[in-house]
Amino acid sequence: MKLSDQIQFVRRNMKKNKLRIFMTVLATTMGCSFLIVLASIGFGLQDSLVEEASSHQPLTQIDIIGKQANDEFEPMTDEWINNVRNTENIRTVVTRSQIHEKPVEITFNEDYSGSGNVTITDFEAEKESNFRLSAGRFPENNNEIIVGYHFKEFLHENAEEGEQMNQNEEGSEPRTFEGEVLNETITLNMQEPDTEELLYQNDYKIVGIAVEPTRDWLSDYSLYIGEDKREELIALAGQEDRKYTDVIAHVNSVEQVENTTNALKDEGFTVFSISEELKGLNMFFTAFKAGLIFVGTIAVFIASIGIFNTMTMAVTERTHEIGVMKALGANPASIKRMFLMESASIGIIGSIFGVLIAYIVSIGANALIPMILEATTESQGFDITFSYIPIQLVLIATAISIAVAMISGFRPAAKATRINVLNALRREA
């Protein structure tokens, strides 16, 4: 028999039992859509967590905490930082020093003041590391600085002694600065905590404002001062034993992060990179998604019971027709192929509708679940992808559905080839 004749035979027989075929396709559709939707939860949660983690830190960033030397942990030194800079694939190294041993006070226009979080850094390295500004520019001389996005919120109005007492009694807080700080001048004062002796005082012009932190609960009140002031301020603060509080290396590409991280570890450095965290996260979700796909496959196997019954009934009902084809010289392999084509057709049709339903459910879940959570928890901003259907999931689910459908039809198809011609011809059509 020609292939076109076999296809025509399959189409004609499927049209004879529309209701039974419809119910079988429906079961396959539900099994396939359940598999996709269930597995899409794993893909959606992974996508959300990876996006959340990578939004807080560049994937090419490696944080270097210190080094194990002589069985003791030691902070980073200038020599070790030069070794890091000379490591293969590292594009730039950002070195930051936070002043925390001596109190620093910021005064602005003599009317506002606040305690400052001073960070000394190399602005050229910050530029190369993609340090971003929400306004202004990078400093061009040592008396220009960048401030954090929330800097002006910690500048409180200076109150007279009587007003301070009234505020304390009433429980109210002093007013914060509400104007613009860009291109304004502030005064930085460092004092000895015990004697209140003034150790350092200098005026700085604010020429840039950093972008808002990606985490909503974080606030950036920092003052970023240039490299030229590092030695002087570190010495005044008495922090020579821990000169650098943050050493951040940036590699050329994401593909080089793992090798560079391993090279730094081999030299004894204690390092952390978001890529390592994501690697462990991806391993967990790979196992999680495999488990979800396995559970979803069970639903497809349950649907295959319907396919097996449908194909068994089809062979029984067409016994006479099969006998006639055999008597006319039809090849048993051709007869087997026709029934396998019919079971495969049920799997293909069910997969197509299953994929469509899965996408509809996925879109609806991503739209409705955040609304329900916001309404029940009275919280805002559930920016989470609950269901995500990548093309590889569609291909996997379709392949499983079609394969299970063909396996279910294999035994009935094999039974059709073993039908005795004489017994089949004696049976009424």
Side-chain angles (χ1 to χ4, degrees), residues 99-105 115-116 188-194 199:
I99 304 299
H100 52 79
E101 292 294 333
K102 300 290 173 65
V104 176
E105 184 184 33
S115 299
L188 187 149
N189 305 286
M190 182 188 297
Q191 295 178 334
E192 187 67 45
D194 297 328
L199 302 175

Side-chain angles (χ1 to χ4, degrees), residues 155-208:
L155 291 176
H156 296 91
E157 185 177 21
N158 297 326
E160 299 294 336
E161 184 175 348
E163 293 179 358
Q164 288 181 353
M165 293 179 62
N166 291 334
Q167 288 174 354
N168 292 333
E169 292 174 0
E170 296 173 2
S172 61
E173 296 183 357
R175 289 188 296 271
T176 59
F177 182 72
E178 297 179 356
E180 294 296 330
V181 296
L182 189 64
N183 296 322
E184 296 289 346
T185 300
I186 62 169
T187 301
L188 187 149
N189 305 286
M190 182 188 297
Q191 295 178 334
E192 187 67 45
D194 297 328
T195 63
E196 296 186 0
E197 176 188 357
L198 186 63
L199 302 175
Y200 178 84
Q201 186 178 67
N202 197 16
D203 292 336
Y204 291 96
K205 182 180 180 181
I206 301 172
V207 296

Side-chain angles (χ1 to χ4, degrees), residues 56-297:
H56 302 319
Q57 178 177 317
L59 295 177
T60 56
Q61 177 176 318
I62 303 174
D63 294 335
I64 307 171
I65 293 87
K67 191 174 185 179
Q68 289 294 132
N70 300 324
D71 296 327
E72 292 184 1
F73 179 81
E74 296 184 11
M76 295 297 291
T77 63
D78 290 312
E79 180 184 356
W80 290 347
I81 290 173
N82 289 330
N83 292 339
V84 172
R85 287 195 175 101
N86 295 328
T87 303
E88 187 178 4
N89 299 324
I90 289 184
R91 183 178 75 252
T92 187
V93 177
V94 176
T95 54
R96 294 177 180 173
S97 304
Q98 291 187 359
I99 304 299
H100 52 79
E101 292 294 333
K102 300 290 173 65
V104 176
E105 184 184 33
I106 308 299
T107 57
F108 175 62
N109 286 346
E110 298 183 357
D111 296 324
Y112 294 87
S113 63
S115 299
N117 179 20
V118 176
T119 300
I120 307 166
T121 186
D122 182 354
F123 287 124
E124 291 301 319
E126 295 283 7
K127 284 183 185 178
E128 293 184 39
S129 69
N130 200 28
F131 183 96
R132 293 177 297 162
L133 302 177
S134 62
R137 58 174 174 81
F138 277 89
E140 296 175 354
N141 60 64
N142 57 14
N143 284 324
E144 294 180 341
I145 62 171
I146 294 173
V147 296
Y149 185 85
H150 302 96
F151 170 76
K152 68 179 183 180
E153 296 179 10
F154 96 110
L155 291 176
H156 296 91
E157 185 177 21
N158 297 326
E160 299 294 336
E161 184 175 348
E163 293 179 358
Q164 288 181 353
M165 293 179 62
N166 291 334
Q167 288 174 354
N168 292 333
E169 292 174 0
E170 296 173 2
S172 61
E173 296 183 357
R175 289 188 296 271
T176 59
F177 182 72
E178 297 179 356
E180 294 296 330
V181 296
L182 189 64
N183 296 322
E184 296 289 346
T185 300
I186 62 169
T187 301
L188 187 149
N189 305 286
M190 182 188 297
Q191 295 178 334
E192 187 67 45
D194 297 328
T195 63
E196 296 186 0
E197 176 188 357
L198 186 63
L199 302 175
Y200 178 84
Q201 186 178 67
N202 197 16
D203 292 336
Y204 291 96
K205 182 180 180 181
I206 301 172
V207 296
I209 300 174
V211 296
E212 185 177 7
T214 52
R215 289 185 173 94
D216 295 336
W217 63 88
L218 287 182
S219 297
D220 185 5
Y221 303 114
S222 299
L223 283 81
Y224 297 94
I225 298 177
E227 174 79 12
D228 296 338
K229 301 287 184 177
R230 190 189 302 268
E231 298 295 336
E232 180 183 4
L233 292 176
I234 288 294
L236 290 173
Q239 297 179 198
E240 293 90 342
D241 57 335
R242 189 175 177 84
K243 184 176 179 181
Y244 302 101
T245 52
D246 297 289
V247 177
I248 306 167
H250 292 265
V251 299
N252 295 315
S253 65
V254 177
E255 292 75 16
Q256 297 169 341
V257 171
E258 184 175 357
N259 291 336
T260 306
T261 300
N262 292 333
L264 292 172
K265 286 182 177 179
D266 291 340
E267 294 182 23
F269 291 108
T270 302
V271 301
F272 168 80
S273 69
I274 193 66
S275 296
E276 283 192 318
E277 183 178 333
L278 293 180
K279 184 178 179 181
L281 189 67
N282 289 330
M283 288 180 63
F284 166 77
F285 273 104
T286 298
F288 181 60
K289 290 182 293 185
L292 293 177
I293 291 174
F294 175 77
V295 174
T297 303

